[in-house]
Amino acid sequence: MKARVLSGVQPTGRLHIGNYLGALKNWAEIQTKYESIFCIVDLHAITVYQDPAELRAKIRETAALFLASGIDPRHSSVIVQSSVSGHAELAWMLTCVTPLGWLQRMTQFKAKAEKQDTIGDGILQYPVLMAADILLYQAGVVPVGDDQSQHLELARDIAQRFNSLYGDTFVMPATSLPTVGARIMGLDDPTQKMSKSTTGAGHAIALLDEPKAIQKKIARATTDSLPAVDPDNMGPGVANLLTIAEACDPSFTKAQAAGLRYGDFKKRVAEIVIARLEPIQERYRQVTSDLAYIDSVLAEGRERVFPLAENTVRRTKSAMGLYV
């Protein structure tokens, strides 16, 4: 039997080139090697306020971009987290076995708590819900970025604690990941990972950006004080642009970039990115021309995974002595 793989994306902000090169592209490449479940994690999104109408639209948009990026519903289950009640139900049961100190030590929680006067309990409990996402489907492999590795370790800790208290119930998710996608940094600040939540106009290249917008953003991207690309002495901004170009077009190499003045280099990077995104955008337009198709993919994904989720919830309840 194939190992089961699970990963997800929040339906907030605009999916960008970093999401594609760091996750979606990788998912499409591994989906036939695993029993693949890819999730639109809308319950995670509501840890902060979301406009309801906008959130509903973003869920469909995200699903369409999954499909446009190569996720094939014949090989993968594409689901919306909130459509499977087991995510929230299992999260509560896992919350009851998770020490508060574990959650308070989480790096992302501490970082967000330091920036805000008040913080919702959902931010604290976010990692338990993520653990529930993984453990609900007994996923053996979880392809996440290194910024989520602490959350994956917590999922393992929670599973181990539950198993020790109530008997073997959960598969331990692997910490060894499939081929990791490129780590893409912000165009305006190449020391920070490209983020959907950052609102600066020149920060990220959205997957649905028009060519002129892409050219403008790359033209304004941070480089360094050198006049041209020096592969042996690149600042983080130049290295980031080169990573983007190489990830979009493996035939483009450091050797080809060497010596290019930054204006010419950025023009070439923009051409490569535009060429890579063109078929994704075309497929997106096709998919979104039939919203019923998107809904049918999400419904089919839910029906496919629902028995797995129900079985895990039932086993967990039984192990804890709850009414089944």
Side-chain angles (χ1 to χ4, degrees), residues 290-303:
D290 184 1
L291 295 181
Y293 170 68
I294 299 174
D295 290 340
S296 71
V297 168
L298 296 175
E300 179 183 338
R302 178 188 179 277
E303 291 304 309

Side-chain angles (χ1 to χ4, degrees), residues 153-172:
E153 278 301 318
L154 180 68
R156 288 174 56 83
D157 291 341
I158 292 172
Q160 188 172 39
R161 179 174 172 81
F162 189 98
N163 289 347
S164 68
L165 289 171
Y166 295 108
D168 288 343
T169 305
F170 298 114
V171 169
M172 295 291 288

Side-chain angles (χ1 to χ4, degrees), residues 20-298:
Y20 173 70
L21 296 175
L24 300 180
K25 178 174 176 285
N26 187 38
W27 296 357
E29 290 172 352
I30 68 172
Q31 64 184 323
T32 59
K33 301 176 184 178
Y34 297 88
E35 183 184 344
S36 301
I37 303 172
F38 299 119
C39 189
I40 300 165
V41 289
D42 54 341
L43 292 174
H44 286 290
I46 60 171
T47 54
V48 295
Y49 175 78
Q50 304 292 335
D51 177 84
E54 183 176 342
L55 180 59
R56 279 189 287 270
K58 282 291 184 179
I59 289 169
R60 278 203 178 106
E61 178 184 297
T62 304
L65 283 169
F66 278 18
L67 301 174
S69 298
I71 305 302
D72 188 338
R74 294 174 300 178
H75 302 298
S76 302
S77 298
V78 179
I79 65 170
V80 179
Q81 183 186 30
S82 64
S83 72
V84 181
S85 59
H87 287 267
E89 194 170 4
L90 183 60
W92 171 249
M93 290 184 276
L94 296 181
T95 294
C96 293
V97 301
T98 303
L100 179 61
W102 289 7
L103 302 179
Q104 291 175 327
R105 287 194 296 269
M106 299 300 288
T107 302
Q108 289 192 18
F109 169 74
K110 290 192 292 184
K112 291 179 179 180
E114 289 172 358
K115 295 179 181 178
Q116 302 176 31
D117 293 331
T118 60
I119 188 166
D121 185 52
I123 300 295
L124 180 68
Q125 299 297 335
Y126 181 107
V128 183
L129 178 57
M130 181 173 170
D133 298 335
I134 297 166
L135 300 178
L136 183 65
Y137 301 109
Q138 308 287 358
V141 180
V142 186
V144 296
D146 55 9
D147 58 331
Q148 292 290 328
S149 61
Q150 189 185 32
H151 288 165
L152 180 56
E153 278 301 318
L154 180 68
R156 288 174 56 83
D157 291 341
I158 292 172
Q160 188 172 39
R161 179 174 172 81
F162 189 98
N163 289 347
S164 68
L165 289 171
Y166 295 108
D168 288 343
T169 305
F170 298 114
V171 169
M172 295 291 288
T175 54
S176 57
L177 307 180
T179 303
V180 177
R183 180 176 173 83
I184 306 302
M185 314 305 282
L187 298 181
D188 57 346
D189 182 0
T191 66
Q192 300 294 321
K193 187 177 179 182
M194 192 175 285
S195 169
K196 293 194 284 101
S197 62
T198 301
T199 57
H203 174 74
I205 300 168
L207 294 184
L208 298 179
D209 273 347
E210 295 183 353
K212 287 185 179 179
I214 295 171
Q215 291 169 344
K216 185 176 181 179
K217 288 178 179 180
I218 292 177
R220 294 180 175 180
T222 299
T223 52
D224 54 38
S225 59
L226 298 175
V229 178
D230 179 356
D232 298 320
N233 187 29
M234 291 186 293
V238 178
N240 186 46
L241 290 175
L242 186 58
T243 296
I244 292 171
E246 290 177 323
C248 287
D249 181 3
S251 69
F252 185 76
T253 64
K254 287 183 180 180
Q256 291 175 308
L260 289 177
R261 298 189 69 82
Y262 287 149
D264 294 330
F265 173 59
K266 289 180 174 180
K267 181 179 179 181
R268 182 69 184 117
V269 174
E271 291 171 348
I272 291 171
V273 171
I274 290 167
R276 189 68 188 90
L277 294 185
E278 184 178 15
I280 295 174
Q281 293 177 354
E282 176 58 30
R283 175 60 178 156
Y284 176 83
R285 287 189 287 269
Q286 293 173 357
V287 170
T288 53
S289 68
D290 184 1
L291 295 181
Y293 170 68
I294 299 174
D295 290 340
S296 71
V297 168
L298 296 175

